[in-house]
Amino acid sequence: ATVEPLFKAVVSTQSTGADAELKKAFTELKNKSVETATKIKAVDNQIEQSKNRGKHAELTYMEVKQSGGDTKLYESVGRMFVLETKDTILEQLKDRAAKSRETIQKLESQKGYLNKNLKESENAL
């Protein structure tokens, strides 16, 4: 009669340990999924910001290009403005638009990687 209660106590202890390990693994996977989803949202925000900067540079480029040859153009540098030539301003605007496109491409690939990780985490759950 004393063997049976002892056996039940050992079995319940072993199953509780396994349950705790499963719960811990599940919690880690859930945390990883939440963290990855948060990173994806941050990347989406960065992509939107880069798109806006690129669009702003392109629109400004078109307006500056249409301006007359005698128009004075100034570039803001900190809290002051510096007189620049039209060609210099146009070149800077082209560079800004190109950098925005490159940034968007890098962020899109990063987002794809994060989405892949998120799906793997969700499938593991």
Side-chain angles (χ1 to χ4, degrees), residues 100-116:
S100 291
R101 284 189 295 272
E102 289 173 13
T103 302
I104 290 169
Q105 288 176 346
K106 289 177 185 176
L107 290 170
E108 289 288 347
S109 67
Q110 184 179 2
K111 182 180 173 184
Y113 174 76
L114 289 171
N115 278 327
K116 180 181 163 190

Side-chain angles (χ1 to χ4, degrees), residues 13-92:
T13 304
Q14 288 175 351
S15 65
T16 305
D19 289 343
E21 288 178 23
L22 285 173
K23 187 174 182 178
K24 182 180 177 184
F26 180 76
T27 304
E28 288 175 6
L29 284 172
K30 189 69 172 169
N31 288 341
K32 183 179 177 184
S33 295
V34 169
E35 183 180 321
T36 303
T38 304
K39 287 181 182 178
I40 290 172
K41 288 180 185 177
V43 168
D44 282 336
N45 288 337
Q46 290 175 345
I47 289 171
E48 279 302 312
Q49 289 175 352
S50 290
K51 284 181 181 179
N52 290 341
R53 275 190 234 116
K55 189 70 167 174
H56 182 265
E58 290 171 5
L59 292 172
T60 306
Y61 177 85
M62 290 188 302
E63 289 298 319
V64 169
K65 194 171 184 177
Q66 292 175 1
S67 68
D70 59 341
T71 305
K72 292 184 179 181
L73 300 172
Y74 294 88
E75 176 188 9
S76 74
V77 179
R79 293 172 49 179
M80 67 179 189
F81 294 92
V82 178
L83 182 64
E84 292 285 351
T85 64
K86 183 177 179 178
D87 292 334
T88 304
I89 297 289
L90 290 174
E91 190 63 35
Q92 289 174 350

